[in-house]
Amino acid sequence: MRKPDVVIVGAGINGLVAANYLQRSGCNVTMIERAERVGGACVSEVASVDGQTESYALGASVLGLMQDFVFEETGLSKRLQTFVPEHPKFIFFPGDTEPTWIFRDPSELDRELANKWGERGAVEAFREDEAKVVSFLQEGYVNAIPPSVDDAKRVLGDTLTKLWITGSARALMDHYLTSERSKMYMAMTVTESGPVPLSDPYSAFTLPLMDSGSVFGGYYGFVKGGIWRITEELGGINARLGVQTHLSSRVVNVEPSGGNLTYEHEGREQLLNFDYLVMGTDPLTATRLVGSPEQIKRTEGQRFRGSSGKLNVMFRNPIRWKFGSGASDSDAAFRFIFSVSSVEEYEAATLGVLDDNVDYTPGYMQIYCEGAAMRHLNHSEPFDRLAVFFKNLSLGQHGADLAGVEVQVKEKLFDLIENPEDCVWTRLLTPRDLQELFLFPGGNLDHTMLTGGQTYFDRTYSDDPATDFYRFGDLDNVYLCGSGTYPCGSVTGTAGYMCSQQLLRHAKLD
Ligand SMILES: Cc1cc2nc3c(=O)[nH]c(=O)nc-3n(C[C@H](O)[C@H](O)[C@H](O)COP(=O)(O)OP(=O)(O)OC[C@H]3O[C@@H](n4cnc5c(N)ncnc54)[C@H](O)[C@@H]3O)c2cc1C
């Protein structure tokens, strides 16, 4: 039998994972990528300081949501070294004289939150119930079958399904927790992708979803060199498997019925035939290329808004943290700083940036100690580096035009550091920058917001999601697997994997 020709548009993590599985399963895979390198939003950039250069993560920084079997089966685990800080995270709220520690062990965490935040709720039950939902989701990933609410009810029961899947984050937190600080800590996940109201239906679901990675057992960590080594390595592995990749090539037209597409390369148009087309892009790009006017209108009506900023920072000497512990990985522990003191303030800051006249409403900062992690991996670099992921920025301005915001973020950060004078370089990226750099429609890291109507099983563009969840509309030969599809964004490739398995079943190649 002739091997089916599969063309994949977009060589981000999802396109790359789909290519890997399809090529190994007997398809002839060709990738078409607009940029001059593979990686999408998981790529590096080089900073130059005083004649020395260092790479940093332009988009994603930390790994955690990938599935362990994807890391193994693609061949990545043999080629990459990783490091996961085991040290509890350090959390700072306004006015704190010392941080709160987020222990991994639920009973230790329960004690710490009771002592520091006056928490009187059911922290251990929260973790136990979340683990049940996570294991239900992970089973769906392995089988490449996005679960339905009915499946959830059958496996988890009505109460857990309502609390953790169909309900709001606010109701979930009020059910298990009493302190405002515990609730804000848990709410961070919900608003990470964009300005999602905590009372939105399905907003609870973001919590187990974002903890459903298995590569590090639900935790987040680092890759030696930088997270972009994942997409670079996968591009290399795929090439050795026989995947053809055309870079600097933008797809401009698709004729699904004729099984061909046109892409532009160096000012010239090229035609390519396919048996199957996989769109590894954001849904708006995909819909505009393959959708009907009605589908385009529907997709344009989705919520794409992102509100995350990223400040990359370099220090000439290793950062000396004011708060730490004697543990060897204390320098690499995740550190979170809140600028708000109550859930009400948190929500006001989250939603405030929907006003186009507002540039920045301080919410929280997550500090990823990439340089320290590289030292733990014996990877030597000229500078120490941090990635500071922070909320909330509007879509209006470029980072280069927000010097005042950068000063505010640095002030908060430097409060925790003994040697701020060693900071030699920074770069601020806003949702507007992400929109232009990575083609994210509204600057949302996840391609679309994780909110009611576009999360869980609604992250599909198929007319027949029960049978072919990743198919595009009613087209028999077009699939979509970018981050806008189930389960979500992040450097995970879960959608790419699940889509590849459904395509193989459809083509009877599994
Ligand atoms: C600043 C930032 C920080 C982040 N931090 C993290 C983090 O720490 N951890 C984490 O796990 N995730 C993080 N994310 C999210 C994560 O990077 C993304 O969700 C993920 O990389 C998206 O992968 P993807 O393959 O779905 O899409 P993309 O990476 O968006 O890939 C789509 C590809 O399609 C190409 N394309 C689009 N249109 C065309 C066309 N017409 N023709 C040809 N090619 C086309 C694009 O060039 C792109 O390469 C972050 C993202 C950003 C921007």
Side-chain angles (χ1 to χ4, degrees):
M1 198 175 86
R2 181 177 73 82
K3 290 179 172 185
D5 290 324
V6 179
V7 173
I8 299 182
V9 182
I13 183 69
N14 279 307
L16 289 165
V17 167
N20 180 283
Y21 277 91
L22 290 168
Q23 184 76 22
R24 284 191 290 116
S25 302
C27 302
N28 255 327
V29 178
T30 305
M31 303 197 81
I32 311 286
E33 168 55 50
R34 164 194 76 106
E36 59 198 15
R37 57 182 168 171
V38 303
C42 182
V43 287
S44 65
E45 189 79 288
V46 175
S48 189
V49 187
D50 298 335
Q52 283 184 298
T53 56
E54 176 157 339
S55 298
Y56 64 96
L58 187 64
S61 283
V62 286
L63 180 69
L65 210 47
M66 188 172 268
Q67 295 306 304
D68 50 4
F69 65 88
V70 170
F71 197 55
E72 297 287 325
E73 290 171 1
T74 50
L76 281 169
S77 63
K78 289 200 183 63
R79 305 192 66 85
L80 296 171
Q81 282 181 51
T82 55
F83 166 75
V84 184
E86 287 191 4
H87 199 285
K89 294 169 193 148
F90 295 113
I91 314 298
F92 301 86
F93 274 101
D96 280 356
T97 50
E98 58 174 47
T100 300
W101 290 30
I102 301 297
F103 291 93
R104 286 185 175 201
D105 176 67
S107 58
E108 266 185 290
L109 177 64
D110 195 10
R111 271 198 303 279
E112 173 78 351
L113 299 194
N115 288 339
K116 297 274 182 52
W117 296 346
E119 177 58 51
R120 296 286 170 263
V123 174
E124 288 187 58
F126 181 94
R127 288 292 188 220
E128 270 166 35
D129 287 349
E130 186 186 40
K132 290 179 196 156
V133 185
V134 164
S135 101
F136 164 70
L137 297 176
Q138 289 175 341
E139 199 180 321
Y141 301 153
V142 176
N143 298 327
I145 300 175
S148 66
V149 170
D150 285 342
D151 293 336
K153 285 182 180 162
R154 193 170 35 76
V155 176
L156 300 167
D158 286 351
T159 307
L160 287 188
T161 302
K162 184 150 187 271
L163 277 171
W164 289 90
I165 293 176
T166 57
S168 73
R170 190 178 284 276
L172 178 76
M173 294 181 307
D174 288 347
H175 180 85
Y176 291 93
L177 305 168
T178 59
S179 95
E180 291 279 293
R181 290 184 168 195
S182 308
K183 291 178 189 179
M184 281 184 278
Y185 175 72
M186 297 301 177
M188 268 193 297
T189 314
V190 180
T191 60
E192 230 171 69
S193 102
V196 175
L198 298 176
S199 49
D200 252 25
Y202 287 91
S203 53
F205 178 60
T206 315
L207 282 102
L209 187 74
M210 286 295 162
D211 284 343
S212 67
S214 54
V215 64
F216 302 140
Y219 294 96
Y220 280 77
F222 300 86
V223 177
K224 186 170 182 176
I227 194 170
W228 60 87
R229 299 287 305 126
I230 290 204
T231 48
E232 278 180 6
E233 276 298 340
L234 199 45
I237 292 170
N238 287 353
R240 288 188 289 280
L241 289 170
V243 173
Q244 303 286 317
T245 302
H246 299 283
L247 299 173
S248 305
S249 300
R250 190 169 64 95
V251 174
V252 290
N253 187 48
V254 181
E255 298 290 345
S257 56
N260 62 66
L261 61 75
T262 308
Y263 66 92
E264 274 176 8
H265 175 69
E266 293 178 348
R268 285 219 297 277
E269 293 205 336
Q270 314 269 358
L271 194 73
L272 195 61
N273 293 316
F274 56 80
D275 297 306
Y276 291 97
L277 178 70
V278 176
M279 298 297 299
T281 67
D282 67 89
L284 207 48
T285 300
T287 310
R288 286 178 178 153
L289 283 169
V290 294
S292 63
E294 198 275 326
Q295 284 167 325
I296 295 172
K297 196 164 164 234
R298 200 185 326 145
T299 306
E300 284 173 345
Q302 285 190 275
R303 294 162 74 184
F304 289 102
R305 193 58 97 82
S307 53
S308 307
K310 184 174 182 186
L311 185 70
N312 277 296
V313 187
M314 294 209 194
F315 277 62
R316 76 162 74 83
N317 290 306
I319 292 164
R320 298 198 307 276
W321 294 101
K322 284 186 185 161
F323 300 95
S325 75
S328 66
D329 59 353
S330 156
D331 57 345
F334 290 85
R335 290 164 161 86
F336 299 167
I337 310 174
F338 282 86
S339 300
V340 287
S341 301
S342 67
V343 176
E344 200 183 326
E345 277 178 35
Y346 180 98
E347 181 120 278
T350 302
L351 303 179
V353 287
L354 289 169
D355 178 345
D356 287 338
N357 298 315
V358 173
D359 289 331
Y360 175 50
T361 53
Y364 62 81
M365 295 160 53
Q366 300 184 340
I367 302 161
Y368 308 147
C369 304
E370 294 190 270
M374 294 311 123
R375 292 194 292 276
H376 286 276
L377 283 159
N378 293 320
H379 182 74
S380 124
E381 295 181 326
F383 299 101
D384 193 357
R385 61 185 157 109
L386 295 178
V388 181
F389 175 91
F390 70 97
K391 307 300 280 190
N392 301 275
L393 286 167
S394 75
L395 193 55
Q397 307 284 339
H398 292 109
D401 300 325
L402 289 179
V405 171
E406 188 173 323
V407 167
Q408 283 184 64
V409 173
K410 280 201 294 198
E411 258 174 25
K412 285 247 165 219
L413 174 68
F414 290 173
D415 260 358
L416 304 185
I417 293 177
E418 300 276 14
N419 54 331
E421 67 284 358
D422 283 340
C423 177
V424 286
W425 177 94
T426 54
R427 181 176 179 191
L428 173 64
L429 293 175
T430 64
R432 175 84 177 270
D433 294 312
L434 306 186
Q435 198 180 29
E436 291 170 12
L437 278 169
F438 301 121
L439 292 186
F440 290 178
N444 187 295
L445 310 183
D446 208 46
H447 288 173
T448 57
M449 281 162 68
L450 276 161
T451 188
Q454 50 193 55
T455 188
Y456 203 53
F457 56 81
D458 285 328
R459 285 174 92 83
T460 179
Y461 294 78
S462 169
D463 280 6
D464 181 18
T467 331
D468 249 337
F469 190 91
Y470 293 91
R471 215 175 68 183
F472 188 89
D474 63 355
L475 298 173
D476 213 28
N477 55 350
V478 182
Y479 285 73
L480 171 58
C481 71
S483 291
T485 54
Y486 179 85
C488 63
S490 291
V491 180
T492 152
T494 313
Y497 161 76
M498 292 172 86
C499 171
S500 71
Q501 301 309 294
Q502 293 209 341
L503 191 158
L504 291 168
R505 279 174 208 155
H506 184 96
K508 304 209 177 341
L509 286 168
D510 60 335

